[in-house]
Amino acid sequence: MDETPSLTISFRNLEPSPSLETEVRRRASKLMKIGRERLIACHVVISAPNRRRQQGKLYAVNLRLELPRGSLPINRNPPMDHAHEDAHVAIHDAFDAALRRLAEFRRRINGRVKTHAAKSPHARGARDSHAEEPES
C-alpha cells in the first residue's frame, strides 16, 4: 500500500498565486521523496505580514511536517537583510531548512548523534574518597 503524504498550502494576507503554489509543490515533492518512509503530511503557510506597504514586504513561510512520532515545525520568518522580499526566495529558504531539520531528526532517531561522555568521578586529578590514608 503506497500512500503519498498529503500537502496543504495556505496563503495569509496575500492572494493565492499559481506560480508560488507550483514552486511549493515542486519543492514539497522533493522533500516527500526523501522522507517518504516517515513523512505523513506537509502543511505550508505563506504569509505577507504587512499588507499596506508596497515596497519592503517581507514574506514568511512556515512549514509543519507531520511524522509518525510527532510534528516538526519549520518557521522561516523574514530576516533583516530583505532577501525575503521575493516569495520564491522565502520558499526556497524554508524548504532548505526543512531538509536540514528532517536530516537532523533522522540522525537523532537512528542514534547517530554525537553525545559527550559524562565525566567519571575518577577523572584526572580527582581524589578517591575510599583510598586509605597512609599511616604516620
Side-chain angles (χ1 to χ4, degrees), residues 32-123:
M32 289 178 183
K33 285 179 187 173
I34 291 171
R36 181 174 291 263
E37 69 276 2
R38 290 195 176 103
L39 191 60
I40 296 170
C42 177
H43 305 283
V44 181
V45 178
I46 304 168
S47 60
N50 192 350
R51 294 179 73 170
R52 295 181 186 160
R53 295 178 68 181
Q54 293 298 319
Q55 282 187 305
K57 185 189 303 186
L58 301 178
Y59 294 93
V61 178
N62 297 320
L63 283 82
R64 191 175 77 235
L65 304 177
E66 297 293 334
L67 305 163
R69 296 185 183 191
S71 65
L72 190 62
I74 293 94
N75 299 321
R76 295 299 296 172
N77 293 323
M80 296 308 292
D81 66 357
H82 295 282
H84 287 188
E85 287 182 12
D86 182 4
H88 293 278
V89 173
I91 292 168
H92 178 269
D93 287 351
F95 277 96
D96 282 351
L99 285 171
R100 289 190 301 271
R101 292 282 307 273
L102 190 57
E104 176 187 320
F105 180 78
R106 280 191 185 157
R107 282 193 299 273
R108 207 170 354 128
I109 293 291
N110 294 334
R112 293 184 290 183
V113 177
K114 288 185 179 180
T115 57
H116 297 286
K119 290 186 178 182
S120 69
H122 299 289

